[in-house]
Amino acid sequence: MSRVTKFAARDPGPAARLVAFMAHLRDNGFRLGVGEAELGLAALTQVEAIDPKTVRHALRAICTGCVEDVDRFDDLFDAFWMNGGRVAKKSIPSQASASDHVHSSRNAAGADRSAGTGAPTTPDSTGEEVAEADGEGKLLASLAQAKMKKDLRDLVRPEDIAEAQKLAQRLGAALQHRRSRRRKLNRRGDRIHFRKVIRQSLSTGGEPLYLAKMRRPDRPLKVVTLCDVSGSMTTYAQVFLAFVAGMMRADPATDAYLFHTRLVRIAEALRDKDALRALGRLSVLADGFGGGSKIGASLMQFAQTYARRFVDGRTVVLILSDGCDTDNPKLLGAALEKLKKRDCKVIWLNPLKGWAGYEPVARGMAQALPHLDLFRPANTLADLAALEQELIRL
Amino acid sequence: MTWTTLQTAMAEQGYIADADLAMAVHLALSLGRPLLLEGAAGVGKTEVARVLSQLRGTELIRLQCYEGLDAAQAIYEWNYQRQLLSIRAASEDGETGRSVEERIFSEDFLLERPLLKAIRRETPPVLLIDEIDRADEEFEAYLLEILSEFQVTIPELGTITAKSRPIVILTANGTRDLSDALRRRCLYAHVSYPERATELAILKARCGEIEAQLAGQIIGFVQALRKEDLEKKPGIAEMLDFAAALMGLGIADLTQDPVVLQASLATLLKTETDRYNITCEIAQRLAGKAA
């Protein structure tokens, strides 16, 4: 670690080397562009660029953007500049593969959106990587997956969707309004819009005859639904999927995901005009439906990838799950905490909570509770309808 | 100025910065980029801006962010009362509409708010945008324009371009994730709780007359306290308050009086649960270890 990397004689020079270092960081999940490489070179002209310690500090200020980056930077720096040889991937800790998978799923999401067809293969491969990492778990998981393969069209009828759509529209409307903090010109406003008053008074010789008012406009909330379709949820999936489908059709600003052992974005598939065809496309995406559940890992993946783009302070994240997790429950808590950092509201609807005498004893659920804004039972469409009042209050 | 001389210069002003922070400040100064400082509350993020303004001998302009912060409070506002009076006066003097309009939308009637103020100074000031994560996304987006172009457009007046580029320091303590776009425009330094030696140096720099034994005990105690399971860990400011309290009470040894120690914990522990959890015995144990 201590020796400085010897670069080959044909190496084109420091600029190229720095660009290669940026690419190395990028491969490991840092979000860096050409601008940072340029800035890095500019920075190195400002400091003693032959002193490794100085360079390390300088590049850290430029290349990192959050605490996680800072924690990983030293190892990546050592791997590139200080290993006494060429770049050795093996000296990079296991984060490399984790972030690769973050990277690829983000790309997949991009492709997903532009092509509008969904990319079932990419999440598939990442799912297997996770399974492989578990060691012997892989064979079992894939066997279970094959057996449990179900056609969602058997489960959800188009009539249900129509009904759910009406309901989703009402619920969506209940969630819609969060008042903006900024006032805008409005006839029935509660404050005087001075700027406007002055402008208009000019035409009447300085007499403010007409008082312009402003008020805080209502801003729509976005709803992001995460629906658990693991084995334990099969009986409720019918209701929930119809609900999600209805929600997607009622409001174009919503977004939806399925998860079981991995996370799949279903927003594009569900927006298909033909309800039945939408479900057909969904079945393809939801390969592995009815298998085990990894809620923690799926939510973490969501928080690290999609949430960065789609979740902000005006978003409600709706999780439909029973909370029976095969993962480490701590992971679920951490994932929700990360998600809450995006400043969103998190609602968890749990079908099991409807049972008499239910206590959230599933360890995952216990970890999740402190991070939830609302935790309610729901296993029929009627239950969902009853939520309307609660959502208005949120 | 190299980054090590900057580090010593900051130390002379009473701010002990670690190598990473000093380098980040140095690069921010020499490359003219905004600097984003992130870290827990009470580790001295805001203080960096104050020290920097003293060091440069320039003004410190501070913008405290909050949810709903808008252009009228952050950038500029017209002085409406003066405008109204002036229009009335003009109509009595028989001034024409156009010349009134030109007059009341001139710079005389403009109220500068921190961001506009910062870019209109002749000498580059230090602009501190404090707790940016409290503002909402809209403001963050607005800030992007100012931070990259250093100009403000006022419809009635036209575009005002910076006479000098202010030194911009942004602070955040992670209540909300900042957008990637904003992060990318800034240099970044994470400020964490200092090492023992650094914190001791801070204490000596701020409380010159403190005795070495007590100083060592205080630092040991506070550092041990941070390892306990607390809701709100004591920051550097709290540590300095604690030291000041002990000196004011004339304590020379932390272990000498448990009652006084327990009472002076009010400067370190700021929530009810924390006060409750750190019992007299725990405090004594920590103090004993620190001694």
Side-chain angles (χ1 to χ4, degrees):
Chain A
M1 180 210 127
S2 54
R3 269 189 317 131
V4 175
T5 308
K6 280 199 184 65
F7 288 90
R10 62 177 184 283
D11 186 79
R17 233 174 273 172
L18 190 68
V19 169
F21 177 59
M22 292 291 174
H24 166 69
L25 290 181
R26 207 154 35 228
D27 286 344
N28 285 286
F30 280 53
R31 287 173 302 278
L32 300 170
V34 185
E36 278 79 9
E38 199 187 332
L39 190 65
L41 277 176
L44 291 185
T45 59
Q46 300 286 337
V47 296
E48 291 283 319
I50 46 168
D51 175 22
K53 200 168 129 250
T54 309
V55 172
R56 183 190 295 260
H57 290 315
L59 289 181
R60 196 197 325 256
I62 284 158
C63 301
T64 60
C66 55
V67 196
E68 292 87 28
D69 287 356
V70 173
D71 291 342
R72 294 174 49 204
F73 182 82
D74 268 338
D75 287 340
L76 295 172
F77 186 90
D78 287 340
F80 191 85
W81 300 106
M82 308 296 276
N83 70 348
R86 298 294 296 181
V87 183
K89 287 274 186 209
K90 64 174 184 287
S91 61
I92 306 162
S94 58
Q95 284 116 328
S97 67
S99 53
D100 265 342
H101 122 232
V102 167
H103 211 72
S104 64
S105 58
R106 192 188 317 144
N107 289 346
D112 194 326
R113 286 181 75 202
S114 54
T117 52
T121 48
T122 318
D124 220 356
S125 63
T126 57
E128 267 166 29
E129 270 167 36
V130 173
E132 253 170 325
D134 288 348
E136 56 186 32
K138 188 191 174 189
L139 186 63
L140 286 172
S142 53
L143 270 179
Q145 261 179 11
K147 206 174 5 175
M148 297 284 197
K149 204 170 217 168
K150 278 206 177 84
D151 193 336
L152 291 173
R153 276 172 291 196
D154 297 343
L155 277 174
V156 188
R157 287 167 301 144
E159 307 90 83
D160 284 345
I161 295 188
E163 195 188 326
Q165 186 170 346
K166 274 187 223 132
L167 169 69
Q169 225 150 14
R170 286 224 319 276
L171 283 187
L175 278 173
Q176 277 297 313
H177 301 301
R178 185 172 176 189
R179 292 177 97 196
S180 165
R181 301 261 169 195
R182 290 180 182 75
R183 288 165 199 277
K184 281 201 162 161
L185 187 67
N186 188 293
R187 276 214 305 206
R188 283 173 304 163
D190 54 349
R191 294 247 181 114
I192 294 173
H193 195 306
F194 272 112
R195 198 174 181 134
K196 196 85 185 165
V197 170
I198 301 278
R199 270 261 168 238
Q200 285 174 340
S201 72
L202 283 179
S203 62
T204 51
E207 289 297 343
L209 290 180
Y210 164 75
L211 282 187
K213 301 266 186 67
M214 57 183 178
R215 68 187 275 180
R216 286 161 52 174
D218 285 333
R219 291 286 198 76
L221 278 177
K222 274 187 299 185
V223 183
V224 176
T225 321
L226 293 158
C227 185
D228 186 348
V229 287
S230 58
S232 53
M233 287 284 290
T234 322
T235 37
Y236 312 105
Q238 178 187 1
V239 174
F240 285 161
L241 281 175
F243 174 71
V244 174
M247 193 80 128
M248 296 298 295
R249 303 170 80 76
D251 180 0
T254 52
D255 201 5
Y257 303 82
L258 284 187
F259 64 91
H260 30 85
T261 50
R262 59 196 160 76
L263 184 80
V264 190
R265 184 159 190 258
I266 53 171
E268 297 302 331
L270 278 180
R271 285 230 170 80
D272 202 312
K273 280 195 200 76
D274 180 347
L276 210 58
R277 197 171 60 203
L279 284 174
R281 284 173 64 180
L282 195 57
S283 310
V284 177
L285 286 177
D287 176 29
F289 179 76
S293 57
K294 289 195 171 161
I295 306 177
S298 301
L299 285 185
M300 190 50 115
Q301 193 195 341
F302 176 71
Q304 282 171 347
T305 55
Y306 296 107
R308 297 188 80 104
R309 284 186 299 156
F310 299 122
V311 175
D312 58 22
R314 266 190 277 275
T315 309
V316 175
V317 178
L318 195 62
I319 301 170
L320 308 167
S321 169
D322 56 4
C324 294
D325 198 352
T326 50
D327 265 341
N328 180 0
K330 288 241 167 64
L331 190 60
L332 178 58
L336 281 173
E337 195 181 342
K338 197 168 170 64
L339 198 57
K340 280 295 280 182
K341 277 253 172 107
R342 308 283 317 167
D343 210 12
C344 56
K345 293 252 184 285
V346 182
I347 301 176
W348 190 306
L349 301 180
N350 191 334
L352 297 186
K353 201 176 176 236
W355 293 2
Y358 167 81
E359 291 285 327
V361 282
R363 282 177 306 154
M365 218 51 243
Q367 287 283 332
L369 272 181
H371 305 290
L372 302 180
D373 292 288
L374 190 69
F375 180 50
R376 283 286 172 272
N379 46 28
T380 61
L381 279 182
D383 284 347
L384 286 169
L387 280 174
E388 195 179 342
Q389 287 307 314
E390 307 248 8
L391 296 185
I392 290 174
R393 241 177 286 142
L394 202 70
Chain B
M1 195 190 261
T2 67
W3 67 279
T4 40
T5 53
L6 179 73
Q7 198 176 14
T8 31
M10 284 171 83
E12 278 161 20
Q13 294 288 335
Y15 193 95
I16 317 291
D18 64 12
D20 271 329
L21 180 58
M23 174 60 89
V25 173
H26 169 65
L27 287 178
L29 290 177
S30 51
L31 299 173
R33 285 289 184 123
L35 172 64
L36 171 64
L37 298 177
E38 211 171 29
V43 290
K45 299 183 296 291
T46 308
E47 203 63 10
V48 172
R50 195 190 56 74
V51 167
L52 216 51
S53 77
Q54 280 177 358
L55 215 61
R56 292 303 212 69
T58 55
E59 191 183 357
L60 173 66
I61 297 172
R62 177 178 171 151
L63 174 67
Q64 171 68 48
C65 295
Y66 54 89
E67 201 184 344
L69 179 68
D70 61 6
Q73 276 115 41
I75 306 160
Y76 73 93
E77 175 96 296
W78 290 106
N79 191 341
Y80 301 118
Q81 288 84 346
R82 265 191 81 188
Q83 282 182 328
L84 273 177
L85 284 174
S86 172
I87 296 171
R88 293 301 296 271
S91 70
E92 272 158 30
D93 296 348
E95 200 178 342
T96 62
R98 176 147 299 275
S99 77
V100 180
E101 192 172 331
E102 261 170 29
R103 201 154 56 80
I104 66 164
F105 290 115
S106 67
E107 298 202 5
D108 291 347
F109 290 81
L110 196 64
L111 294 177
E112 283 180 345
R113 301 287 193 230
L115 291 182
L116 182 62
K117 204 164 156 191
I119 67 166
R120 298 223 303 172
R121 287 287 180 270
E122 294 291 341
T123 49
V126 176
L127 171 64
L128 169 66
I129 301 173
D130 215 1
E131 304 190 12
I132 173 70
D133 47 354
R134 287 199 188 197
D136 36 24
E137 283 105 9
E138 285 85 350
F139 182 72
E140 217 178 277
Y142 198 93
L143 210 53
L144 288 180
E145 189 199 338
I146 294 196
L147 290 185
S148 50
E149 308 292 329
F150 287 102
Q151 65 180 33
V152 168
T153 304
I154 301 175
E156 292 88 348
L157 266 185
T159 302
I160 296 178
T161 316
K163 289 178 184 152
S164 59
R165 274 198 163 203
I167 302 160
V168 186
I169 309 274
L170 299 101
T171 73
N173 48 23
T175 54
R176 173 173 73 78
D177 276 351
L178 299 175
S179 73
D180 283 349
L182 185 68
R183 284 183 192 278
R184 287 199 51 195
R185 294 231 178 4
C186 304
L187 300 183
Y188 177 85
H190 183 257
V191 189
S192 44
Y193 292 112
E195 306 275 307
R196 190 188 156 85
T198 316
E199 196 162 15
L200 203 57
I202 295 171
L203 181 59
K204 291 220 171 99
R206 289 301 173 93
C207 293
E209 63 273 30
I210 197 164
E211 278 172 42
Q213 192 211 352
L214 181 63
Q217 280 185 343
I218 290 173
I219 301 304
F221 182 75
V222 172
Q223 297 233 332
L225 198 60
R226 282 192 196 124
K227 293 200 184 83
E228 296 289 311
D229 187 21
L230 295 179
E231 277 182 355
K232 166 78 188 75
K233 290 185 178 151
I236 294 171
E238 276 86 7
M239 181 274 291
L240 291 172
D241 284 348
F242 182 55
L246 291 177
M247 282 168 68
L249 291 167
I251 305 283
D253 188 344
L254 266 193
T255 47
Q256 111 191 13
D257 190 348
V259 181
V260 173
L261 175 64
Q262 198 63 19
S264 55
L265 280 184
T267 55
L268 289 176
L269 302 174
K270 304 286 176 75
T271 74
E272 197 189 346
T273 350
D274 286 351
R275 276 313 294 269
Y276 181 76
N277 285 338
I278 303 299
T279 55
C280 202
E281 289 77 46
I282 296 179
Q284 280 302 304
R285 180 169 55 79
L286 294 179
K289 260 197 245 164

